[in-house]
Amino acid sequence: LRDDDCEICGINNWSRPSYLKLKYISVGVESFYQTYRSTCEDRFYPLETEVSISGVGDFELEDGDVITLRPPGGFGAETRFRFGDGYTCEFHTSCSEPIVAGDQFG
């Protein structure tokens, strides 16, 4: 980890989080910590879109919106996202790869 990074789970904490708070940003970048596990790409995402999130549900999102993911059965190994334009991607949520506050997935 970089000096100022806050690890939610991963190398130092194998306990899966009960929730994750995510901010939808339409200008994507690749994850700093999950470069081999996250399939969410450095691309432009829609400014407004519906997103279906595995184990959580559907959300109508605009650039800058913040949502809280709290899957009733807990997070699986991956959390998948399907956007209104048909694009799908996922990032790893089993904590074998770090989840770090501020990291961006796509």
Side-chain angles (χ1 to χ4, degrees):
L1 292 174
R2 296 177 292 194
D3 289 341
D4 293 335
D5 286 346
C6 176
E7 182 181 67
I8 296 167
C9 75
I11 298 166
N12 298 313
N13 176 11
W14 285 82
S15 178
R16 291 183 192 182
S18 59
Y19 71 93
L20 289 172
K21 190 174 277 194
L22 303 180
K23 182 175 185 178
Y24 180 69
I25 301 172
S26 62
V27 178
V29 297
E30 291 186 13
S31 169
F32 183 80
Y33 286 103
Q34 292 198 18
T35 55
Y36 300 108
R37 298 304 291 258
S38 173
T39 63
C40 301
E41 299 175 333
D42 175 1
R43 70 186 288 262
F44 289 103
Y45 292 83
L47 290 174
E48 298 178 4
T49 188
E50 181 176 336
V51 181
S52 180
I53 304 172
S54 63
V56 181
D58 298 333
F59 296 86
E60 291 288 334
L61 297 177
E62 295 181 14
D63 190 47
D65 284 351
V66 175
I67 59 172
T68 300
L69 307 184
R70 193 181 311 265
F75 285 98
E78 290 87 27
T79 297
R80 292 176 186 84
F81 300 82
R82 181 176 181 83
F83 294 84
D85 64 0
Y87 177 75
T88 60
C89 68
E90 64 186 38
F91 68 88
H92 208 62
T93 47
S94 76
C95 299
S96 63
E97 294 290 325
I99 299 174
V100 177
D103 195 11
Q104 188 171 339
F105 302 92

